């Protein structure tokens, strides 16, 4: 089961650390151009702020992931 994490409930430093981890993971694709971690973090934060993405805590792997909000119904949430 996964737990939805409201991004705006996190301390700014905590959110920044989480986003840095998410955007630096292998397999994250930003197209044919390179972006800095800070730029990727700002894009991710924008997706959270505009409601296009959400943060989930995966209880099995004990990691936080960011998914498109449109995929939320594919997850079994607490």
């Amino acid at each position: 089961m996964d737990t939805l994490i409201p991004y705006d409930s996190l301390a700014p430093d905590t959110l920044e650390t989480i986003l840095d981890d998410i955007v630096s993971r292998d397999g994250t694709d930003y197209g044919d151009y390179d972006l800095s971690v800070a730029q990727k973090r700002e894009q991710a934060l924008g997706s959270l702020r505009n409601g296009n993405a959400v943060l989930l805590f995966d209880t099995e792997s004990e990691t936080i992931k960011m998914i498109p909000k449109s995929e939320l119904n594919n997850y079994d949430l607490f």
Side-chain angles (χ1 to χ4, degrees):
M1 294 196 109
D2 298 303
T3 303
L4 189 62
I5 302 171
Y7 81 93
D8 53 356
S9 70
L10 300 170
D13 289 345
T14 302
L15 179 59
E16 184 175 316
T17 300
I18 290 169
L19 292 177
D20 285 352
D21 178 62
I22 289 170
V23 301
S24 64
R25 291 180 188 160
D26 289 339
T28 305
D29 184 12
Y30 290 90
D32 294 331
Y33 51 93
D34 291 327
L35 297 175
S36 69
V37 171
Q39 290 169 315
K40 292 175 186 178
R41 181 188 333 113
E42 285 304 311
Q43 280 187 351
L45 183 57
S47 293
L48 292 169
R49 285 183 174 151
N50 67 26
N52 289 331
V54 296
L55 294 175
L56 290 179
F57 177 71
D58 182 333
T59 55
E60 280 189 30
S61 66
E62 296 185 351
T63 60
I64 296 175
K65 56 189 168 188
M66 188 170 92
I67 63 161
K69 188 174 184 179
S70 61
E71 294 179 13
L72 197 54
N73 60 346
N74 297 333
Y75 291 85
D76 189 18
L77 300 176
F78 275 117

